[in-house]
Amino acid sequence: MIQVTMSRDKDGQHYDQGSREMSPLDALRILTTSELAFGGNITEATGTQISIITRVMGCVDTSIFAGSQEEMRPLNEAAYYYLRACERETTVMDGVLAELARMPNGAGGNPLILSLAAPMVMGRNRLALAAMLALGVTAEGDIAAGMLMGLEDLFAAFQLMQEFPHMSLADVSVAVAT
């Protein structure tokens, strides 16, 4: 089991949110959807512990995931590919700009929306790139197509690629767009 310890700092106050044990799969879900998807920054990653700081809506959340080397393997792999995605900011920004452009009524250009949504959009697009890298998608055309999809559509495209293994991510993107 993986021990997950969380705390929150807001307005000068520290709130201990306790610790709980969870399966590696549940911990991976929390790591990706509740921390990294919201723009979390990995501050420490050893073989047995990952620490993340996430800043959202004036709060600073700290989450620590700890377990045995084997239990932490999926979390460490996700962190590795996430950090690789962080190194490719131009690719990630292409996805961010595409996502902002898809917002209705020009909301993606609103400064308030940008300040609130930017960390989450960055996190989701880093996760999209990390997922592509983890699944062996390395062709620039495929990565560019995947970054335009958004995270939910990307995972649907991965499903289609499993059903039609001869199709690349770019091929799937074109097929569903027409």
Side-chain angles (χ1 to χ4, degrees), residues 28-173:
L28 179 61
R29 182 181 54 79
I30 296 297
L31 173 76
T32 56
T33 63
S34 298
E35 302 302 334
L36 298 178
F38 285 89
N41 292 310
I42 298 170
T43 58
E44 179 183 14
T46 68
T48 58
Q49 181 171 306
I50 296 174
S51 300
I52 298 177
I53 293 179
T54 307
R55 291 174 173 80
V56 177
M57 305 293 282
C59 298
V60 178
D61 293 343
T62 302
S63 300
I64 301 169
F65 299 80
S68 71
Q69 188 93 17
E70 181 58 32
E71 290 171 322
M72 290 293 292
R73 187 187 54 72
L75 283 76
N76 286 323
E77 286 183 16
Y80 170 77
Y81 284 112
Y82 180 79
L83 291 172
R84 284 197 51 203
C86 289
E87 295 170 356
R88 298 180 62 172
E89 286 302 317
T90 301
T91 303
V92 171
M93 285 307 298
D94 289 343
V96 170
L97 294 173
E99 193 163 336
L100 292 172
R102 285 192 297 268
M103 289 184 171
N105 303 321
N110 180 312
L112 177 62
I113 298 293
L114 284 172
S115 67
L116 294 175
M120 292 177 278
V121 173
M122 287 291 293
R124 279 197 307 271
N125 281 284
R126 285 178 179 149
L127 285 172
L129 181 56
M132 286 185 276
L133 295 173
L135 291 173
V137 176
T138 57
E140 289 302 318
D142 289 337
I143 289 174
M147 293 308 295
L148 295 175
M149 288 183 187
L151 194 55
E152 295 81 14
D153 292 338
L154 179 62
F155 281 100
F158 290 152
Q159 180 66 37
L160 286 171
M161 289 171 63
Q162 287 181 341
E163 294 175 22
F164 301 98
H166 66 281
M167 295 184 78
S168 69
L169 188 54
D171 293 339
V172 170
S173 177

